[in-house]
Amino acid sequence: MSKFKELQKNLFGGTSSNARQFGMIFTLVAIVLLFQIWTGGLTLTSSNLIAVVSQYSYILILAIGMLMVIVAGHIDLSVGSVAAFTGIVVAKAMQEYDLPWPLAILLGLLVGAAIGAWQGFWVAYFGVPAFIVTLAGMLLFRGGNQYIGNADTVPVPEGFRKIGAGFLPEVGPDTGFNNLTVLLGLLACAGVVWREWRSRQTRHEMGAETGPIWVTGVRVVIMVAVIIFATLRFAGGRVGTSFPISGIILMVLVLAYSHYTRNTVGGRHIYAVGGNSRAAELSGVKLKRTNFFVMMNMSILAALAGMIFVARSTASGPQDGLSWELDAIAAVFIGGAAVTGGLGTISGSIVGGLVMALLNNGLQLEGVGSDMVQIIKGLVLLLAVALDVYNKSQGRFSIIGTLMRPFRREEPAAPADSSGSASDPQKTPVAG
């Protein structure tokens, strides 16, 4: 095999999950470069990248929870209303009862947990479809937001605003960059190197094929180069700005939930329930407990996203959270999740969310009106998924199909009919 074919196989089309995730990053980079050219270099400026993370971190947080809900075979239409309801409760608690902002954050998470328990109870233990439960929740908690806040905006204190509008502080000597952001980038680079090395070691110990070391080196170099470029962009912004605190929260959640869904029994149970709930239950999976968990977890993340948005906008209002559920669902499906459940990744959903965020951002930089932005986003979502489904049906390269491959269950091939009847269109082979 030539070196080019070997590089293509292991770097872009290999069978490891790392290679697939790396291909997804390349897709995102291609989109970034497209808008970089179209906007005349504005997309990759420090100020714009910082703004994108600050403005869309809450949608990406919602996408994490929505991925788990969709993988389990459900849908949650209430996340925007839950976020708005939590935001007004927390803002009122700080304004009227002088609740310290750290305790207010804890209160918001508890409110989200209570709402999630309420909705999860109906879904898991009463068997009411999640679509209906969360549709009712969307109306219930939107009305609750307006009732508690009297349809007015409620400001939040300065300390609370840091989780949505704060940045890593300036520390250490004057290097021309934000030192903590640089340190964060270096840690990310070290993490990439360690993960690749650990992956090779594990595969070697298991006797699995590790692939050429030079291919791993190329993959690591490209990933580290992307991280360093992004680090310098975020660290080199105007004084007082750097990597947003909301971005730090998002990164922690991505790492934690990626580990949970990939490496824990509970995470695998979610995929099992979405793939075939009956078979999962017969194999010992606690079906009700799993459904309850994904619904409750979604509302907790919605509460966190709502507080981050309120903190960034400095006040809670009656229009908070409108259509957030649509953005989160779009991010998950663009990221490769299956409508029927059982398939999808956290990293894929994050990439899908970033695609939507950068599409929205790029169109705004070009001065496209909000009406056309919505039209274009809808068409891009529909055409992207439709084209991928068409290519998959024709046996061509499919991005979503490639992302789904590690989770796809292979069905046994039907035995060939020695009499040649398999070629008869009126006869169907029967698996023994």
Side-chain angles (χ1 to χ4, degrees):
M1 181 184 294
S2 67
K3 285 193 172 183
F4 175 77
K5 290 292 185 181
E6 199 146 35
L7 179 65
Q8 185 182 42
K9 175 181 181 293
N10 291 278
L11 193 60
F12 303 105
T15 58
S16 72
S17 60
N18 286 346
R20 277 182 288 273
Q21 292 176 10
F22 190 64
M24 291 161 57
I25 294 175
F26 255 114
T27 302
L28 179 61
V29 170
I31 294 173
V32 170
L33 294 178
L34 174 64
F35 278 108
Q36 174 74 353
I37 296 172
W38 189 21
T39 60
L42 295 178
T43 298
L44 291 178
T45 60
S46 296
S47 58
N48 188 63
L49 290 178
I50 291 171
V52 167
V53 174
S54 297
Q55 292 173 7
Y56 296 99
S57 57
Y58 62 91
I59 294 296
L60 299 179
I61 290 173
L62 290 176
I64 295 173
M66 191 66 73
L67 180 276
M68 298 171 69
V69 171
I70 290 175
V71 164
H74 304 297
I75 202 75
D76 193 332
L77 302 177
S78 68
V79 293
S81 296
V82 171
F85 180 80
T86 303
I88 195 65
V89 168
V90 169
K92 279 283 189 177
M94 290 186 289
Q95 182 191 64
E96 297 185 359
Y97 299 99
D98 295 324
L99 187 68
W101 66 265
L103 293 180
I105 294 175
L106 179 59
L107 171 64
L109 296 176
L110 292 175
V111 169
I115 294 173
W118 163 261
Q119 298 193 137
F121 174 77
W122 288 102
V123 172
Y125 295 98
F126 262 74
V128 181
F131 178 88
I132 300 299
V133 172
T134 57
L135 179 61
M138 179 176 69
L139 301 174
L140 176 63
F141 299 113
R142 175 62 58 185
N145 167 272
Q146 297 175 358
Y147 176 79
I148 294 176
N150 294 318
D152 293 328
T153 58
V154 180
V156 294
E158 183 66 30
F160 183 81
R161 298 176 189 176
K162 293 187 181 299
I163 66 170
F167 302 95
L168 290 176
E170 301 285 346
V171 298
D174 184 7
T175 60
F177 296 95
N178 180 272
N179 293 328
L180 287 181
T181 302
V182 173
L183 177 61
L184 182 66
L186 293 176
L187 290 175
C189 292
V192 167
V193 174
W194 180 84
R195 183 179 179 183
E196 289 291 333
W197 174 81
R198 183 58 184 165
S199 176
R200 289 185 63 88
Q201 288 292 107
T202 301
R203 294 180 65 83
H204 178 72
E205 293 170 0
M206 296 174 60
E209 181 183 358
T210 58
I213 185 66
W214 68 270
V215 174
T216 301
V218 171
R219 183 162 60 238
V220 169
V221 167
I222 296 177
M223 293 178 71
V224 168
V226 171
I227 293 173
I228 290 176
F229 175 81
T231 298
L232 295 179
R233 293 283 88 187
F234 283 106
R238 62 180 177 83
V239 177
T241 64
S242 59
F243 197 76
I245 299 298
S246 58
I248 299 292
I249 297 173
L250 173 64
M251 289 175 58
V252 171
L253 291 175
V254 168
L255 292 175
Y257 279 93
S258 295
H259 173 78
Y260 177 78
T261 55
R262 288 199 312 258
N263 303 320
T264 68
V265 174
R268 303 317 301 171
H269 282 181
I270 295 173
Y271 285 93
V273 169
N276 189 322
S277 60
R278 180 58 178 165
E281 188 174 27
L282 291 175
S283 64
V285 174
K286 302 296 184 181
L287 188 62
K288 294 180 179 179
R289 181 186 302 175
T290 301
N291 287 330
F292 181 86
F293 169 76
V294 295
M295 299 305 297
M296 183 175 181
N297 176 74
M298 180 72 261
S299 291
I300 293 174
L301 291 180
L304 176 60
M307 289 188 287
I308 289 176
F309 178 82
V310 169
R312 184 177 183 276
S313 58
T314 72
S316 174
Q319 301 302 312
D320 295 349
L322 290 178
S323 300
W324 287 9
E325 57 277 349
L326 303 182
D327 289 333
I329 292 170
V332 172
F333 286 139
I334 289 178
V339 179
T340 54
L343 304 172
T345 63
I346 297 294
S347 58
S349 297
I350 295 300
V351 171
L354 288 175
V355 167
M356 295 297 286
L358 289 167
L359 176 63
N360 193 71
N361 175 259
L363 293 172
Q364 289 179 348
L365 290 176
E366 281 297 296
V368 179
S370 60
D371 51 351
M372 289 303 300
V373 168
Q374 297 300 320
I375 293 173
I376 293 172
K377 287 170 62 178
L379 290 175
V380 168
L381 172 62
L382 178 62
L383 293 176
V385 177
L387 178 62
D388 192 77
V389 170
Y390 174 76
N391 286 338
K392 184 179 177 183
S393 68
Q394 298 297 311
R396 301 171 184 170
F397 175 73
S398 167
I399 297 174
I400 294 178
T402 300
L403 299 180
M404 290 179 177
R405 192 177 299 133
F407 303 103
R408 186 179 298 130
R409 294 179 297 279
E410 299 292 341
E411 297 181 358
D417 190 338
S418 59
S419 66
S421 60
S423 60
D424 188 343
Q426 301 300 320
K427 298 181 180 180
T428 302
V430 179

